[in-house]
Amino acid sequence: MPNTTKYSVETIPGGYPRDRIFNPKSVAVMGVTPTPGTVPYDIFYNILASGYKGVLYPVAPGKRSISAVPAYRYLTDIEDDIDLVVIVFPANVVARALEQCGEKGVKGVIIISAGFREVGPEGEKREEEIKEICAKYDISLVGPNCLGVINTDPKIMLNASFARKMPAEGRIAFLSQSGALCTAVLDYARSRNIGFSKFVSFGNKAGVTEMGLLDYLHQDEQTDVVLLYLEELRDGRALIETARRVTRGDNPKPILAIKSGRTPQGADAASSHTGSLAGEDAICEAVFSEAGIIRTNTIEELFDTAIMLTSQPMPKGDRLAIVTNAGGPGVMATDAAVDVGLTIARFQPETTKKLKASLPAAANMKNPVDVIGDARSDRYEAAVGAVLEDPNVDQALVILTPQSMTDIEQIAHGIVKVRKGTDKPMACSFIGATDVAVGVDILQAAHIPHYIMPEWACGAMADVQRIRRWRELPEEADYQPPQADQKAVAAIINPAPAGYLSEDRALAVLEAYGFPVPAHKLCCDADEAVEFAERNGYPAVLRVVSPQIVHKFDVKGVALDLADADAVRSAYNNMVSHIGEAMPEAEIKGVLVRGMIPGGREVILGAKHDAAFGPTLMFGLGGLFVEIFKDVTFALAPITPAAASRMVRQIKAFKLLEGARGTGQADIAGVEDYLLRLGRLVVDFERIVELDINPLIVGPAGEGSNVADVRIRLSE
Amino acid sequence: MDKSKITERVVKVTCEVLGVTPDMVTPESDFVFDLGAESTQSVQLVAAFDEEFDINMDAEDALEVQTVGDAVEFIEKYVNKK
C-alpha cells in the first residue's frame, strides 16, 4: 500500500488520494433518490450492479429503502465505519453532507455534484467552503463536478460513477478532468477490447489532483500505464516534479496525455515576440517535454500507444522489420516509420538466407519483406520468425491485405505462435474491416496490438521509442548557477516604473548577468555621439532611446553602418529631427551609440512571467520573422545545463547553428550559457514580465556572441 | 391567516408530496438534505403550496427556499398580500 503520510493533503498541493478511495471496505452514497435514470440513483445502482465486494449504504432521507437495500436518513445514523462516501446531493447542501462525513470520521469522499467553481463566483465560494471542511477533518476529496471513480480489481470491483458500464479489467489507468469524456472513452475502449485498472474523473480538483493521482498510480500494482486528459494545467512545476518521479527510476510507468485547448489565447495582447509566442499551449508542450509525458493529439493515438505499452515488452532499440503481403502498404509503412524517426533494420546475411529458403524467388527478402500476395500462414510464420531472430531487429510490424487466397485466420494464429517464441515487441496491421475481422479478433485475444493502418502502428512504436529514450537519459548532476551581479540589477529595476526599461538600462541589466553586450554609450547631442564613435571605432550604429518608442525601425530610430564622424553627426541630427516631427509626443532621452556587430547567426532568447507557470524561457531562430517561422522552444525557468542543451537542439534551425554549407559551427556552448543566465535573471527578478533578446548574433564556436537588441518590460 | 396555521398546512403538504411523516418535519428541516426532495419533487411542492394557499408564488424564488421554516415565511408574505 502506498505511503499515505509522505504525500498527504498537507504536503502535496491538492493532495494524495487515500487508498480507501479506490479500495474501500464500505461505501455510503449520500443523496440517493429512488428514480432510475437520475445521477443520484444511477451512482448507487452502479456500485450495486458492479459486484462491489464491500458493504454499501444508501443515505436517502425520507426513503425506507433503495433497490431493496435499507436506507438511512443521515450518514451519522449508520453504525459501521465508512471508508468512502460518494456525495450526490445538489451543490447547496454538499457542505452540510461533508460536515457529516467529518463528524463520522470518514477520510475518503467523492463529490459528484456540479455547481462549484465551474459556475462562477457563487460556486467558487462553495468550493472554498468544501476545501475548508476537508482541511478541518483531513478528508481526501475527489471532485467536485466529476463522473466518479472505478476500480476493476476483482478484489474490489467498484464502479462509483455514473458511467453506463463497468469496464473490463486491464493495466491502463485513465485520469480525466472531463467527466463527459470519460463515458465516451469507456465506450470507445470497449470497442477495442481495452480494459482499465483504475478510472478516475477528478473534475474541479478541489482536493486530489493529477499530481496526487499520478503518485498513487505509480505505486499501484494493477497499473502499468497512465493516461491523462487535462483541460487546464494549474501547476506545471509540480506536474514536472511528479511525472519525472513516475516515468523514470526503478519502477518507471509511462504517462500519455491529451491536453485540450491548443488554440493560442491572449497572444494579441502581448507586445513582445516571446509574449506572443509563449501561449499556454506552447508552455504546456514544454512542461510535458520536461516531465517525460508523451502528448498525443487524439484519443485514438492515446490508446494506440497505450495498448502497445501494456501488451508488448519495451524494445531495446528503434530498428523495425516489416513483413507484408502487399508491396504498396509495405512502402507506405516504411515511409511512415522513417517519418516518425524509426530505423528500417538492415538484416544480417543469415536472416536473408533463412528468408530465401522459405519464400518464393519473387519475394522481396530485404526490409520491408514482401511475402507476396498469395502468401499463406507458412510464409508469414517463417518470415516473421526469421526477422525477429535477427539481432539487428528490435521490433516487427506485420501487414496483411485480404486477398482471395489469404487464410486470414490461420495467419493470425501463426503470428500468435511466433509471438510466443520471442521477447521482442510486435504489432500487426490487417488492413481492411470486414474480411480481416476474424484475424483481428484472434490477435487481440492474444494481446497482440492491432492497427487498421500501418502508419498508426508506426506512430505508437515511435511513442514507445520516445519513452525508452527518456528512461535512458542520464540523471542531471547538480550544477552551480552562473555568477551575476544582482545588486547592480536591483539598483536599475527596483526604482523603475512599470513598462519598458530604456535600452541603455536593459543593456546594463544584461551586462550585470554576464551577457555579451557590445560597448555603447547613451549620448545627448551629436558632439557626444561623434566623440564616442571616434573612440569606439567605425562603422557605428545609432539607436534612439525613448520610453514611447518600442519599435525603433518603424520611426527611423536606427541608423546603421555609419563610416565616419560626418555620417554620425548627420544621422544623429536627422534622427532627432525626424522623430520630433513624426512623434512629437515622444520624449527622446538620447541616442545610444555603439559599433556595428559582425555578422553571425541570429537567434532569439526570450522570457515571460506566465501567470500560471511563473518564469518561462523561449529560444529559437531570431530576427524579424520569428513570429512567422515560430521555430521556438520553451522551458520553465530556472533551467539546468541539460535543459538548455535540449532547448537549443529542439529547434529546426539547429542545423544552422551546427554549421551548414561550409558555415562552420556557431558558438552553441555560449548560447546554452546565456539561456542559463537568462533563467537565473528572470527567477531573481519577478518584475521582469517580458524579455526579448532579439537577435543575439551568434559568432563562430569559441568567438562568442553579441546582443544586438533587447527589450525588458517590468510589472508594477 | 396566522403563522401557526400556515406552518400546520405547510407540514401537511410537505408530508404528502415527499412521503415523509410529520415527526420528521421541523422548521429547520432542509427539503433536500433532511427530507430527501428530488428536483422534480421540489417543483411539485411549489405547485402544491400554490394550490393549498390559493397563491401564485414566483417559481424561481420559491425554488431557492431551502428549509420548511423559510417556506412558511415565504408563503406568509403571499398569503398576507391577498
Side-chain angles (χ1 to χ4, degrees):
Chain A
M1 201 173 103
N3 179 351
T4 52
T5 54
K6 189 176 172 192
Y7 306 117
S8 69
V9 280
E10 288 77 24
T11 55
I12 272 198
Y16 182 89
R18 284 203 170 80
D19 192 54
R20 64 191 68 190
I21 286 178
F22 295 102
N23 294 300
K25 291 190 177 66
S26 53
V27 178
V29 183
M30 291 184 81
V32 185
T33 59
T35 313
T38 62
V39 171
Y41 176 84
D42 283 5
I43 292 270
F44 175 80
Y45 181 78
N46 286 344
I47 299 174
L48 202 63
S50 63
Y52 172 53
K53 306 292 187 198
V55 185
L56 178 62
Y57 299 91
V59 175
K63 311 296 180 296
R64 193 159 168 256
S65 67
I66 301 287
S67 290
V69 180
Y72 294 79
R73 188 176 186 193
Y74 298 118
L75 181 74
T76 42
D77 294 341
I78 302 169
E79 285 181 9
D80 293 345
D81 289 338
I82 302 294
D83 280 347
L84 172 67
V85 166
V86 185
I87 298 177
V88 288
F89 271 126
N92 58 357
V93 295
V94 164
R96 224 180 131 190
L98 201 55
E99 274 286 350
Q100 280 204 350
C101 293
E103 284 162 19
K104 177 131 182 86
V106 174
K107 297 296 179 193
V109 172
I110 301 169
I111 300 177
I112 304 289
S113 325
F116 293 87
R117 190 163 61 87
E118 78 282 3
V119 298
E122 185 66 21
E124 274 173 29
K125 225 165 89 185
R126 278 197 199 114
E127 194 157 312
E128 285 309 309
E129 193 183 358
I130 62 168
K131 279 185 187 173
E132 280 167 23
I133 298 169
C134 287
K136 180 170 141 194
Y137 293 106
D138 189 22
I139 290 170
S140 193
L141 169 72
V142 174
N145 184 29
C146 70
L147 181 94
V149 167
I150 296 173
N151 182 2
T152 61
D153 183 345
K155 294 197 290 291
I156 297 295
M157 292 297 280
L158 176 71
N159 177 8
S161 81
F162 56 96
R164 294 168 76 95
K165 285 179 188 157
M166 181 82 164
E169 190 190 357
R171 307 290 305 170
I172 298 170
F174 190 90
L175 309 178
S176 175
Q177 200 174 351
S178 158
L181 181 83
C182 284
T183 55
V185 162
L186 282 170
D187 194 39
Y188 171 79
R190 199 174 300 115
S191 75
R192 288 184 69 172
N193 297 318
I194 295 168
F196 295 93
S197 55
K198 307 280 186 296
F199 207 91
V200 187
S201 150
F202 50 85
N204 292 7
K205 306 192 266 187
V208 168
T209 63
E210 61 272 36
M211 274 72 80
L213 289 164
L214 287 172
D215 265 326
Y216 179 86
L217 293 167
H218 189 205
Q219 307 298 327
D220 181 36
E221 287 175 5
Q222 266 80 38
T223 298
D224 289 338
V225 178
V226 184
L227 311 187
L228 184 59
Y229 172 82
L230 282 176
E231 287 172 345
E232 57 167 359
L233 196 48
R234 278 188 230 156
D235 193 345
R237 285 162 202 276
L239 182 62
I240 290 176
E241 195 185 308
T242 308
R244 287 179 81 100
R245 199 160 49 227
V246 174
T247 54
R248 288 167 64 89
D250 295 337
N251 176 30
K253 292 186 181 178
I255 304 173
L256 313 176
I258 288 192
K259 160 75 180 62
S260 58
R262 281 181 169 269
T263 321
Q265 288 175 358
D268 292 346
S271 52
S272 71
H273 294 297
T274 310
S276 93
L277 288 166
E280 191 208 342
D281 195 65
I283 301 172
C284 275
E285 199 77 46
V287 168
F288 285 171
S289 167
E290 286 296 302
I293 295 173
I294 303 296
R295 185 178 190 179
T296 66
N297 291 324
T298 65
I299 295 286
E300 194 146 40
E301 285 173 23
L302 195 70
F303 283 104
D304 280 353
T305 304
I307 57 171
M308 182 74 83
L309 286 164
T310 50
S311 66
Q312 300 298 296
M314 184 62 69
K316 293 190 170 59
D318 64 1
R319 297 165 302 178
L320 173 70
I322 299 169
V323 176
T324 176
N325 68 345
V331 175
M332 280 164 58
T334 304
D335 287 346
V338 172
D339 279 350
V340 295
L342 296 169
T343 300
I344 302 300
R346 289 175 72 90
F347 298 143
Q348 289 198 339
E350 181 64 23
T351 306
T352 311
K353 208 188 287 176
K354 282 186 207 166
L355 291 170
K356 276 183 181 164
S358 47
L359 301 181
N364 181 21
M365 317 296 172
K366 287 182 182 166
N367 199 6
V369 178
D370 187 350
V371 294
I372 320 245
D374 61 350
R376 289 177 173 272
S377 175
D378 56 334
R379 272 191 224 160
Y380 264 101
E381 277 183 56
V384 177
V387 298
L388 281 171
E389 279 169 12
D390 190 317
N392 289 351
V393 172
D394 298 309
Q395 60 212 312
L397 170 60
V398 184
I399 299 169
L400 175 147
T401 56
Q403 291 157 63
S404 62
M405 69 292 291
T406 309
D407 54 348
I408 297 164
E409 203 172 331
Q410 283 310 309
I411 290 170
H413 283 303
I415 291 168
V416 171
K417 202 163 84 187
V418 174
R419 173 71 193 86
K420 282 179 183 157
T422 179
D423 59 356
K424 292 180 184 174
M426 175 196 283
C428 292
S429 177
F430 283 17
I431 304 172
T434 317
D435 287 351
V436 296
V438 60
V440 173
D441 287 346
I442 293 164
L443 294 171
Q444 287 183 337
H447 303 291
I448 294 176
H450 176 266
Y451 304 89
I452 295 173
M453 292 296 158
E455 300 92 304
W456 302 349
C458 292
M461 286 174 157
D463 282 343
V464 173
Q465 289 305 316
R466 287 162 67 197
I467 291 163
R468 183 182 63 81
R469 284 192 213 105
W470 169 255
R471 287 180 185 176
E472 287 171 359
L473 280 178
E475 282 301 326
E476 292 184 18
D478 287 342
Y479 83 103
Q480 198 62 28
Q483 291 300 305
D485 187 350
Q486 278 178 294
K487 273 189 186 169
V489 174
I492 296 168
I493 287 182
N494 292 351
Y500 284 96
L501 277 181
S502 62
E503 186 173 354
D504 56 317
R505 286 179 191 189
L507 287 171
V509 166
L510 293 188
E511 256 180 327
Y513 267 66
F515 284 85
V517 175
H520 61 277
K521 188 181 181 193
L522 180 65
C523 301
C524 294
D525 57 43
D527 288 343
E528 197 182 355
V530 169
E531 192 269 326
F532 179 75
E534 288 284 318
R535 220 163 3 100
N536 194 49
Y538 293 101
V541 172
L542 304 189
R543 297 169 61 84
V544 72
V545 175
S546 162
Q548 286 79 30
I549 299 172
V550 176
H551 301 284
K552 294 181 173 66
F553 276 98
D554 296 352
V555 293
K556 297 185 180 170
V558 178
L560 301 169
D561 212 12
L562 305 169
D564 53 30
D566 286 346
V568 169
R569 187 179 302 283
S570 155
Y572 188 104
N573 291 331
N574 287 344
M575 186 181 288
V576 171
S577 137
H578 173 79
I579 293 170
E581 283 170 25
M583 274 187 82
E585 73 282 9
E587 181 198 355
I588 297 174
K589 298 270 188 192
V591 172
L592 195 129
V593 183
R594 67 155 202 241
M596 278 290 282
I597 295 170
R601 278 151 276 191
E602 296 189 359
V603 296
I604 179 170
L605 277 69
K608 175 189 169 186
H609 197 97
D610 186 271
F613 300 98
T616 307
L617 300 185
M618 183 182 88
F619 171 75
L621 184 66
L624 290 172
F625 305 116
V626 59
E627 281 161 60
I628 295 172
F629 294 121
K630 292 184 178 157
D631 186 14
V632 290
T633 55
F634 296 88
L636 301 190
I639 54 171
T640 60
S645 172
R646 277 199 294 278
M647 284 184 83
V648 172
R649 281 158 183 76
Q650 270 171 3
I651 64 165
K652 293 184 195 84
F654 177 65
K655 284 180 183 157
L656 296 177
L657 295 176
E658 269 187 313
R661 295 189 176 266
T663 52
Q665 198 186 65
D667 189 16
I668 296 168
V671 173
E672 290 170 3
D673 178 52
Y674 301 137
L675 278 167
L676 287 169
R677 290 175 187 280
L678 184 60
R680 169 141 192 222
L681 173 63
V682 291
V683 168
D684 288 348
F685 294 93
E686 283 189 5
R687 284 193 65 209
I688 299 178
V689 283
E690 283 180 19
L691 189 157
D692 270 354
I693 299 172
N694 185 32
L696 176 81
I697 299 181
V698 186
E703 291 184 24
S705 307
N706 279 295
V707 173
D709 196 1
V710 59
R711 272 179 223 161
I712 297 178
R713 190 164 72 83
L714 303 178
S715 63
E716 290 293 341
Chain B
M1 196 183 310
D2 69 19
K3 197 166 185 173
S4 64
K5 195 77 190 156
I6 294 173
T7 304
E8 195 182 299
R9 287 166 70 179
V10 164
V11 171
K12 182 190 74 136
V13 170
T14 301
C15 291
E16 281 167 8
V17 174
L18 300 184
V20 295
T21 52
D23 60 301
M24 292 172 74
V25 185
T26 67
E28 291 76 33
S29 296
D30 184 293
F31 286 107
V32 175
F33 190 79
D34 299 301
L35 304 176
E38 291 185 63
S39 52
T40 51
Q41 287 176 317
S42 299
V43 176
Q44 286 168 10
L45 266 177
V46 172
F49 288 140
D50 275 350
E51 197 179 320
E52 174 71 24
F53 294 99
D54 192 23
I55 54 178
N56 188 14
M57 295 186 289
D58 180 292
E60 207 173 312
D61 289 346
L63 286 168
E64 292 293 311
V65 172
Q66 284 189 239
T67 66
V68 173
D70 289 346
V72 171
E73 306 260 329
F74 192 80
I75 290 165
E76 193 180 18
K77 277 188 235 160
Y78 280 90
V79 172
N80 291 341
K81 262 193 224 164
K82 282 205 299 183

